[in-house]
Amino acid sequence: MSKQNQHLAIFASGTGSNARQIVKYFEQHPSISVALIISNKASAPVLEMARQAGIDTLVIDRPFFYESEDILKKLAAYPVDLLVLAGFLWLIPGYLVQAYPNRIVNVHPALLPKYGGKGMYGMHVHRAVKAAGEAESGMTIHFVNEHYDEGAVIFQARCALSPKDDAEQIAAKVLALEHHHFAPVIEQVLAK
Ligand code: GRF
């Protein structure tokens, strides 16, 4: 039997193309909904998308996120069952990891443990993959702990690379995988 009324909070710093896919995927879902979209950038396009979709938004700054634990109250209000990091670049503080054990997931645009860690985000990842002459890349969905890109892997998908692919083409292939897989994997995590 499916669980009743589970809520997601999505954290995103940027464009939010993954967040958009996730919102679309769960729009008509019988028991899972996106309750809140959180960003550290007031001007992030993802917030406008959230408003248009009628989803609550929250803009956070460093003191609020790292020096208080007030976000826990905001999340508890729904209550939020799973935190989804979709292009969110700040490290998740320990109090939040402890409050949501195995309930925070991130998508990373490479096949971890390769091309992960501090500074490995966005085009930095794809340029490094290109420079290494990799024959494949892919995406990783993993649980989040207090270290960048080190939590247990939940799911990976791969794509073949041609020597002709530049970093932008690699990025596009990987992003397509993220858009395809992230929301169904979130659904599976919530079903457990
Ligand atoms: C994705 O490539 C994701 O793997 C990484 O940040 C990017 C976010 O893209 N963590 P978008 O904002 O969802 O378009």
Side-chain angles (χ1 to χ4, degrees):
M1 210 178 79
S2 73
K3 298 185 185 174
Q4 291 304 302
N5 301 329
Q6 299 187 96
H7 299 121
L8 303 176
I10 303 177
F11 288 67
S13 302
T15 325
S17 70
N18 276 290
R20 186 183 298 270
Q21 280 300 123
I22 295 164
V23 166
K24 232 166 77 185
Y25 186 87
F26 290 110
E27 237 159 27
Q28 306 297 329
H29 197 281
S31 61
I32 299 171
S33 60
V34 178
L36 181 64
I37 298 193
I38 299 165
S39 183
N40 56 307
K41 277 195 196 154
S43 61
V46 69
L47 292 175
E48 186 47 37
M49 184 277 292
R51 285 180 206 115
Q52 281 174 18
I55 296 169
D56 288 353
T57 60
L58 177 67
V59 178
I60 56 173
D61 60 16
R62 285 188 176 274
F64 176 80
F65 198 47
Y66 292 108
E67 292 163 29
S68 85
E69 300 189 1
D70 290 350
I71 199 166
L72 295 179
K73 287 182 224 149
K74 303 260 183 200
L75 298 171
Y78 293 93
V80 168
D81 299 280
L82 187 73
L83 312 187
V84 174
L85 313 186
F88 184 69
L89 297 180
W90 286 1
L91 193 64
I92 300 301
Y95 74 82
L96 198 48
V97 173
Q98 281 147 32
Y100 288 86
N102 283 347
R103 285 288 179 223
I104 311 178
V105 297
N106 180 46
V107 64
H108 184 80
L111 295 169
L112 291 174
K114 290 171 104 175
Y115 307 105
K118 194 167 164 53
M120 271 294 170
Y121 61 89
M123 290 308 294
H124 297 285
V125 173
H126 306 301
R127 284 190 207 111
V129 167
K130 173 71 189 167
E134 296 280 1
E136 64 170 14
S137 190
M139 53 84 85
T140 302
I141 298 167
H142 64 94
F143 288 118
V144 170
N145 62 19
E146 280 111 318
H147 307 281
Y148 279 115
D149 304 326
E150 284 183 16
V153 171
I154 303 166
F155 177 87
Q156 291 187 307
R158 293 159 192 277
C159 54
L161 301 180
S162 145
K164 289 189 206 134
D165 289 338
D166 61 19
E168 279 72 23
Q169 286 163 313
I170 297 172
K173 285 183 178 181
V174 171
L175 194 62
L177 290 176
E178 296 181 22
H179 290 170
H180 187 72
H181 292 290
F182 201 11
V185 170
I186 289 167
E187 191 176 19
Q188 284 165 25
V189 170
L190 279 172
K192 284 182 186 151

